[in-house]
Amino acid sequence: MIRTEHPTPDTLDLAAIRARHTLLLLDLLWDGDLARVDISRELGLSRSAISSIVTELISVGLVQEVGTRGSGGVGRRATLLNLNTRAAALLAIDLGASHARVDVLDLHCQSLASLTVPHDIVSGPQATYDLLTDLSAQVMQAADISADQIALVGIGVPGPVDHDTGRVVLPPNMPGWDGEDIREALQRRLNLEVLVDNDANLGALAEARFGAHRGTQDLIYVKAATGIGAGVLLGGRLHRGMRGGAGEIGHISINEQGPVGRSGNPGSLESYAAAQVLVTLARSLRAAGAPTTLPNPISLNDLLNHANTDPLARAVWEEAGHHLGVAISTTMNLFNPEAVIIGGRLAQAGDVLLAAIRASAHSRTMRINVDRTRIELGTLGVHAGVLGAGAMMLDSLFTPRGLPHLYAISRLAQGKAAPGAIRPAGPHRPDRPHPGRLRLTRHHSRQHRLRPTAQPAPFRTEEHHEKSTPDRRRPRRHHQRLCRWQAGNLLLVVRR
């Protein structure tokens, strides 16, 4: 089915428009402190419209005034506004094949407390849920955060996840987890709303928001560790595919006559370049007489620590980089990204791995798809998982649907809401649309002046022709729909 743009309906939802403007304002404050006049100029909204939204945000505790800025002249000093990053907390979980990490984050995704422990994913769902529940309680206590202050829980897992249901689907590196409903299980354990996604997808979100390539709209993040997966960002949005299985680069066959990997596909990338495969390769090279100073038996840590100094380790990483480059060239020819970021534990091999990937990928990619594409190592290291979970939660909360839930949590932190108000009405969606802007102009009538409240104000619409006084900018013959926001006394004019 081809998706088409639907025509704008005759009836405008000004509550939704106000929510969009609120989110644009919060986006600006997320990047730094600003005065009302700065926000008005940046968003193209009137000062009265900005003041009304700011008053609402201050009343729920999401925004605070933090001092003044000199005018540089004889005018008044501007009051600076600051996003209150402690208005709500986020619980970020990074679940790997051999570790579990839980962090409490603020709204800037700064870690307030963190715990990481070794954990074998093969131990199964129930043992994993017990561990995550215990770790969550410990980090919340360490951060002095109660469950009522947690807006969302986000978790990344090393396997394909059905994005609509939160269930794991035949994960090659998670035996015993097929069909497991991680979202429901953790929601029941933690009594909090949970978002679940593949760890490579979260790595892409983390690098695009917090990494050296922040703001990049077309980006591919390749996580190479026990398994190999990719997160694909297209046009600033995560591409998950129909169910959430997009980006499974580790199961692309790079040699149809090659060995069978964990997924059962012959010659898959994971059968050549996954962590344990490289350890096996290193040991076989040693047995064949390759010179090395590495201890016996060789471990993955040995290969990583001596990647640039030991000849056998260098040979292993050059071969791994070659195979990774073959698969990455396929994604470059398909998607023509601006950047390809290599993350995961294998990225710790550093420059020797990166050089091999570049050489292999560049030689197999069409010039139009390689000339301006950068292939780089990730800059977030071991923090990519929790930061990606944080980015996923921010993308869910800072939406028209997530905003009321964020308000409720923030009010509760101020002691202004009843405990029953903290749960949202339904599941959030991490996908965040990019809101357009509609310019609001002030309506000069003094009718209906109401004090703004924390809830969206009532609206009324009326259709009429222009009055007797002509507007030199618009001929009188134009028919207009005027939508008045009563609380802020603003007028939105849309010409048809």
Side-chain angles (χ1 to χ4, degrees):
M1 177 178 178
I2 298 176
R3 297 186 62 181
T4 57
E5 295 294 331
H6 298 288
T8 303
D10 287 340
T11 303
L12 294 174
D13 183 353
L14 289 204
I17 293 172
R18 179 177 172 85
R20 298 286 189 186
H21 291 157
T22 301
L23 293 168
L24 288 170
L25 188 155
L26 288 171
D27 274 347
L28 291 177
L29 292 181
W30 196 89
D31 290 329
D33 299 348
L34 291 171
R36 290 170 176 83
V37 64
D38 302 324
I39 298 170
S40 175
R41 182 167 53 247
E42 182 71 22
L43 298 186
L45 299 176
S46 67
R47 293 194 187 185
S48 58
I50 295 299
S51 292
S52 173
I53 295 173
V54 168
T55 299
E56 175 179 301
L57 291 171
I58 290 176
S59 72
V60 299
L62 270 174
V63 168
Q64 53 197 356
E65 295 179 331
V66 291
T68 59
R69 181 187 65 200
S71 65
V74 296
R76 287 191 310 176
R77 297 171 65 86
T79 300
L80 291 175
L81 301 172
N82 167 265
L83 176 66
N84 179 13
T85 59
R86 299 297 296 269
L90 310 171
L91 194 64
I93 301 174
D94 174 21
L95 182 61
S98 58
H99 77 275
R101 174 176 172 177
V102 181
D103 281 39
V104 173
L105 308 176
D106 66 14
L107 291 179
H108 260 157
C109 290
Q110 296 292 320
S111 182
L112 306 179
S114 178
L115 274 176
T116 304
V117 297
H119 176 67
D120 190 349
I121 198 74
V122 178
S123 61
Q126 298 312 313
T128 301
Y129 297 147
D130 290 342
L131 175 64
L132 295 180
T133 303
D134 183 53
L135 292 177
S136 298
Q138 290 185 55
V139 293
M140 285 192 287
Q141 182 178 12
D144 194 23
I145 294 290
S146 68
D148 288 345
Q149 295 171 272
I150 300 292
L152 279 176
V153 180
I155 178 172
V157 299
V161 177
D162 187 317
H163 187 62
D164 290 331
T165 66
R167 291 182 180 273
V168 181
V169 182
L170 285 173
N173 298 306
M174 300 172 66
W177 286 78
D178 182 35
E180 184 65 29
D181 191 339
I182 296 177
R183 177 190 294 165
E184 175 62 28
L186 283 179
Q187 284 182 166
R188 190 168 56 249
R189 296 263 187 149
L190 300 174
N191 194 30
L192 294 166
E193 186 173 350
V194 177
L195 303 177
V196 186
D197 209 337
N198 174 266
D199 55 1
N201 284 344
L202 298 190
L205 292 178
E207 288 288 348
R209 185 183 282 264
F210 302 106
H213 299 281
R214 65 178 62 89
T216 300
Q217 296 292 295
D218 297 283
L219 176 148
I220 295 175
Y221 175 83
V222 178
K223 182 177 181 180
T226 304
I228 304 172
V232 181
L233 204 68
L234 301 177
R237 295 174 65 95
L238 194 60
H239 179 71
R240 294 186 175 90
M242 183 178 69
R243 291 183 65 189
E248 289 293 342
I249 189 174
H251 306 293
I252 291 177
S253 292
I254 61 174
N255 177 7
E256 61 185 18
Q257 304 301 325
V260 176
R262 294 191 183 189
S263 64
N265 298 329
S268 67
L269 176 61
E270 283 194 4
S271 67
Y272 285 98
Q276 192 53 46
V277 173
L278 299 182
V279 173
T280 301
L281 172 63
R283 292 173 180 175
S284 66
L285 290 175
R286 164 174 245 159
T292 181
T293 59
L294 299 178
N296 193 11
I298 297 173
S299 69
L300 182 61
N301 279 338
D302 296 327
L303 292 173
L304 291 171
N305 294 335
H306 299 88
N308 292 290
T309 58
D310 183 83
L312 186 149
R314 174 177 285 274
V316 168
W317 292 118
E318 286 175 347
E319 182 164 342
H322 168 78
H323 295 309
L324 284 165
V326 171
I328 287 171
S329 70
T330 301
T331 66
M332 291 170 65
N333 281 323
L334 282 173
F335 300 117
N336 187 207
E338 182 179 345
V340 177
I341 310 301
I342 313 300
R345 194 177 179 197
L346 302 193
Q348 296 174 22
D351 291 340
V352 61
L353 176 69
L354 180 62
I357 291 173
R358 285 173 172 170
S360 178
H362 287 176
S363 66
R364 290 168 171 79
T365 306
M366 293 183 66
R367 183 171 179 178
I368 192 172
N369 293 325
V370 74
D371 274 354
R372 300 181 185 178
T373 298
R374 303 184 302 278
I375 303 177
E376 305 285 354
L377 296 175
T379 58
L380 302 177
V382 297
H383 307 299
V386 292
L387 289 175
M392 173 176 64
M393 290 183 279
L394 290 180
D395 286 347
S396 178
L397 288 170
F398 285 82
T399 62
R401 182 170 186 171
L403 199 56
H405 178 56
L406 187 58
Y407 275 21
I409 296 292
S410 184
R411 280 197 212 95
L412 187 65
Q414 290 189 317
K416 294 183 178 180
I422 70 172
R423 294 291 176 261
H428 297 294
R429 297 293 183 206
D431 290 331
R432 179 178 180 181
H434 294 279
R437 293 180 182 172
L438 295 175
R439 185 176 180 84
L440 293 173
T441 57
R442 187 172 182 177
H443 181 61
H444 295 283
S445 168
R446 294 188 177 182
Q447 302 176 42
H448 309 299
R449 289 196 176 274
L450 304 177
R451 288 183 300 174
T453 66
Q455 296 296 328
F459 295 81
R460 69 182 178 90
T461 62
E462 58 186 58
E463 192 173 57
H464 65 84
H465 294 279
E466 295 191 40
K467 302 301 180 182
S468 58
T469 303
D471 187 335
R472 295 176 182 175
R473 293 171 298 177
R474 298 186 296 271
R476 288 183 59 189
R477 65 179 178 273
H478 283 291
H479 185 217
Q480 301 176 341
R481 177 175 298 278
L482 301 184
C483 306
R484 181 177 297 114
W485 173 49
Q486 295 178 349
N489 210 23
L490 303 173
L491 189 67
L492 176 72
V493 179
V494 180
R495 299 178 60 185
R496 300 192 301 187

PDB file of all heavy atoms in Angstrom, residues 109-126:
ATOM      1  N   CYS A 109      20.171  12.521  30.104  1.00  0.00           N
ATOM      2  CA  CYS A 109      20.816  11.208  30.025  1.00  0.00           C
ATOM      3  C   CYS A 109      22.175  11.189  30.707  1.00  0.00           C
ATOM      4  O   CYS A 109      23.058  10.403  30.336  1.00  0.00           O
ATOM      5  CB  CYS A 109      20.922  10.732  28.576  1.00  0.00           C
ATOM      6  SG  CYS A 109      19.314  10.311  27.878  1.00  0.00           S
ATOM      7  N   GLN A 110      22.352  12.062  31.706  1.00  0.00           N
ATOM      8  CA  GLN A 110      23.505  11.972  32.588  1.00  0.00           C
ATOM      9  C   GLN A 110      23.225  10.889  33.625  1.00  0.00           C
ATOM     10  O   GLN A 110      22.141  10.844  34.206  1.00  0.00           O
ATOM     11  CB  GLN A 110      23.758  13.310  33.282  1.00  0.00           C
ATOM     12  CG  GLN A 110      24.140  14.436  32.344  1.00  0.00           C
ATOM     13  CD  GLN A 110      25.501  14.235  31.716  1.00  0.00           C
ATOM     14  OE1 GLN A 110      26.440  13.784  32.374  1.00  0.00           O
ATOM     15  NE2 GLN A 110      25.616  14.569  30.432  1.00  0.00           N
ATOM     16  N   SER A 111      24.196  10.025  33.849  1.00  0.00           N
ATOM     17  CA  SER A 111      23.994   8.918  34.771  1.00  0.00           C
ATOM     18  C   SER A 111      24.049   9.406  36.219  1.00  0.00           C
ATOM     19  O   SER A 111      25.013  10.063  36.628  1.00  0.00           O
ATOM     20  CB  SER A 111      25.048   7.836  34.545  1.00  0.00           C
ATOM     21  OG  SER A 111      24.826   6.736  35.397  1.00  0.00           O
ATOM     22  N   LEU A 112      23.022   9.066  36.979  1.00  0.00           N
ATOM     23  CA  LEU A 112      22.977   9.397  38.399  1.00  0.00           C
ATOM     24  C   LEU A 112      23.475   8.245  39.252  1.00  0.00           C
ATOM     25  O   LEU A 112      23.919   8.446  40.378  1.00  0.00           O
ATOM     26  CB  LEU A 112      21.544   9.763  38.807  1.00  0.00           C
ATOM     27  CG  LEU A 112      20.869  10.863  37.972  1.00  0.00           C
ATOM     28  CD1 LEU A 112      19.443  11.097  38.472  1.00  0.00           C
ATOM     29  CD2 LEU A 112      21.670  12.159  38.034  1.00  0.00           C
ATOM     30  N   ALA A 113      23.390   7.040  38.743  1.00  0.00           N
ATOM     31  CA  ALA A 113      23.904   5.839  39.418  1.00  0.00           C
ATOM     32  C   ALA A 113      23.967   4.727  38.382  1.00  0.00           C
ATOM     33  O   ALA A 113      23.152   4.675  37.454  1.00  0.00           O
ATOM     34  CB  ALA A 113      23.020   5.430  40.590  1.00  0.00           C
ATOM     35  N   SER A 114      24.956   3.831  38.515  1.00  0.00           N
ATOM     36  CA  SER A 114      25.160   2.791  37.520  1.00  0.00           C
ATOM     37  C   SER A 114      25.693   1.525  38.178  1.00  0.00           C
ATOM     38  O   SER A 114      26.496   1.595  39.119  1.00  0.00           O
ATOM     39  CB  SER A 114      26.151   3.281  36.458  1.00  0.00           C
ATOM     40  OG  SER A 114      26.408   2.279  35.503  1.00  0.00           O
ATOM     41  N   LEU A 115      25.243   0.372  37.676  1.00  0.00           N
ATOM     42  CA  LEU A 115      25.745  -0.929  38.122  1.00  0.00           C
ATOM     43  C   LEU A 115      25.909  -1.832  36.911  1.00  0.00           C
ATOM     44  O   LEU A 115      24.997  -1.943  36.078  1.00  0.00           O
ATOM     45  CB  LEU A 115      24.782  -1.579  39.116  1.00  0.00           C
ATOM     46  CG  LEU A 115      24.920  -1.223  40.598  1.00  0.00           C
ATOM     47  CD1 LEU A 115      23.806  -1.892  41.397  1.00  0.00           C
ATOM     48  CD2 LEU A 115      26.283  -1.629  41.136  1.00  0.00           C
ATOM     49  N   THR A 116      27.073  -2.475  36.807  1.00  0.00           N
ATOM     50  CA  THR A 116      27.333  -3.433  35.745  1.00  0.00           C
ATOM     51  C   THR A 116      27.850  -4.727  36.359  1.00  0.00           C
ATOM     52  O   THR A 116      28.749  -4.687  37.212  1.00  0.00           O
ATOM     53  CB  THR A 116      28.379  -2.898  34.750  1.00  0.00           C
ATOM     54  OG1 THR A 116      27.943  -1.642  34.236  1.00  0.00           O
ATOM     55  CG2 THR A 116      28.572  -3.872  33.595  1.00  0.00           C
ATOM     56  N   VAL A 117      27.273  -5.856  35.939  1.00  0.00           N
ATOM     57  CA  VAL A 117      27.709  -7.153  36.467  1.00  0.00           C
ATOM     58  C   VAL A 117      27.835  -8.137  35.312  1.00  0.00           C
ATOM     59  O   VAL A 117      27.146  -8.007  34.293  1.00  0.00           O
ATOM     60  CB  VAL A 117      26.709  -7.708  37.504  1.00  0.00           C
ATOM     61  CG1 VAL A 117      26.611  -6.791  38.720  1.00  0.00           C
ATOM     62  CG2 VAL A 117      25.338  -7.929  36.881  1.00  0.00           C
ATOM     63  N   PRO A 118      28.716  -9.143  35.437  1.00  0.00           N
ATOM     64  CA  PRO A 118      28.759 -10.212  34.432  1.00  0.00           C
ATOM     65  C   PRO A 118      27.452 -11.004  34.472  1.00  0.00           C
ATOM     66  O   PRO A 118      26.894 -11.256  35.536  1.00  0.00           O
ATOM     67  CB  PRO A 118      29.943 -11.068  34.882  1.00  0.00           C
ATOM     68  CG  PRO A 118      30.714 -10.232  35.844  1.00  0.00           C
ATOM     69  CD  PRO A 118      29.734  -9.316  36.488  1.00  0.00           C
ATOM     70  N   HIS A 119      26.970 -11.385  33.310  1.00  0.00           N
ATOM     71  CA  HIS A 119      25.736 -12.176  33.252  1.00  0.00           C
ATOM     72  C   HIS A 119      25.680 -12.904  31.922  1.00  0.00           C
ATOM     73  O   HIS A 119      25.826 -12.296  30.855  1.00  0.00           O
ATOM     74  CB  HIS A 119      24.506 -11.287  33.400  1.00  0.00           C
ATOM     75  CG  HIS A 119      23.215 -12.029  33.260  1.00  0.00           C
ATOM     76  ND1 HIS A 119      22.784 -12.968  34.181  1.00  0.00           N
ATOM     77  CD2 HIS A 119      22.260 -11.997  32.286  1.00  0.00           C
ATOM     78  CE1 HIS A 119      21.625 -13.463  33.800  1.00  0.00           C
ATOM     79  NE2 HIS A 119      21.290 -12.889  32.650  1.00  0.00           N
ATOM     80  N   ASP A 120      25.462 -14.189  31.975  1.00  0.00           N
ATOM     81  CA  ASP A 120      25.345 -15.000  30.770  1.00  0.00           C
ATOM     82  C   ASP A 120      23.885 -15.043  30.340  1.00  0.00           C
ATOM     83  O   ASP A 120      23.026 -15.543  31.073  1.00  0.00           O
ATOM     84  CB  ASP A 120      25.866 -16.413  31.043  1.00  0.00           C
ATOM     85  CG  ASP A 120      26.001 -17.240  29.767  1.00  0.00           C
ATOM     86  OD1 ASP A 120      25.494 -16.795  28.719  1.00  0.00           O
ATOM     87  OD2 ASP A 120      26.603 -18.327  29.836  1.00  0.00           O
ATOM     88  N   ILE A 121      23.607 -14.514  29.149  1.00  0.00           N
ATOM     89  CA  ILE A 121      22.231 -14.452  28.667  1.00  0.00           C
ATOM     90  C   ILE A 121      21.624 -15.845  28.521  1.00  0.00           C
ATOM     91  O   ILE A 121      20.399 -16.016  28.573  1.00  0.00           O
ATOM     92  CB  ILE A 121      22.195 -13.708  27.312  1.00  0.00           C
ATOM     93  CG1 ILE A 121      20.764 -13.235  26.979  1.00  0.00           C
ATOM     94  CG2 ILE A 121      22.734 -14.562  26.190  1.00  0.00           C
ATOM     95  CD1 ILE A 121      20.311 -12.078  27.779  1.00  0.00           C
ATOM     96  N   VAL A 122      22.474 -16.851  28.399  1.00  0.00           N
ATOM     97  CA  VAL A 122      21.997 -18.233  28.251  1.00  0.00           C
ATOM     98  C   VAL A 122      21.345 -18.736  29.536  1.00  0.00           C
ATOM     99  O   VAL A 122      20.606 -19.721  29.518  1.00  0.00           O
ATOM    100  CB  VAL A 122      23.168 -19.153  27.832  1.00  0.00           C
ATOM    101  CG1 VAL A 122      22.734 -20.602  27.703  1.00  0.00           C
ATOM    102  CG2 VAL A 122      23.773 -18.665  26.520  1.00  0.00           C
ATOM    103  N   SER A 123      21.551 -18.041  30.649  1.00  0.00           N
ATOM    104  CA  SER A 123      20.933 -18.460  31.913  1.00  0.00           C
ATOM    105  C   SER A 123      19.412 -18.374  31.868  1.00  0.00           C
ATOM    106  O   SER A 123      18.732 -18.911  32.731  1.00  0.00           O
ATOM    107  CB  SER A 123      21.475 -17.627  33.077  1.00  0.00           C
ATOM    108  OG  SER A 123      21.179 -16.258  32.899  1.00  0.00           O
ATOM    109  N   GLY A 124      18.871 -17.671  30.868  1.00  0.00           N
ATOM    110  CA  GLY A 124      17.432 -17.692  30.649  1.00  0.00           C
ATOM    111  C   GLY A 124      16.690 -16.472  31.154  1.00  0.00           C
ATOM    112  O   GLY A 124      17.219 -15.652  31.912  1.00  0.00           O
ATOM    113  N   PRO A 125      15.434 -16.339  30.751  1.00  0.00           N
ATOM    114  CA  PRO A 125      14.649 -15.148  31.084  1.00  0.00           C
ATOM    115  C   PRO A 125      14.437 -14.932  32.579  1.00  0.00           C
ATOM    116  O   PRO A 125      14.631 -13.812  33.073  1.00  0.00           O
ATOM    117  CB  PRO A 125      13.317 -15.389  30.372  1.00  0.00           C
ATOM    118  CG  PRO A 125      13.643 -16.330  29.261  1.00  0.00           C
ATOM    119  CD  PRO A 125      14.718 -17.210  29.790  1.00  0.00           C
ATOM    120  N   GLN A 126      14.019 -15.961  33.328  1.00  0.00           N
ATOM    121  CA  GLN A 126      13.644 -15.729  34.719  1.00  0.00           C
ATOM    122  C   GLN A 126      14.840 -15.280  35.557  1.00  0.00           C
ATOM    123  O   GLN A 126      14.732 -14.346  36.370  1.00  0.00           O
ATOM    124  CB  GLN A 126      13.022 -17.003  35.306  1.00  0.00           C
ATOM    125  CG  GLN A 126      11.740 -17.428  34.608  1.00  0.00           C
ATOM    126  CD  GLN A 126      10.755 -16.283  34.434  1.00  0.00           C
ATOM    127  OE1 GLN A 126      10.492 -15.530  35.378  1.00  0.00           O
ATOM    128  NE2 GLN A 126      10.202 -16.142  33.237  1.00  0.00           N
TER     129      GLN A 126
END
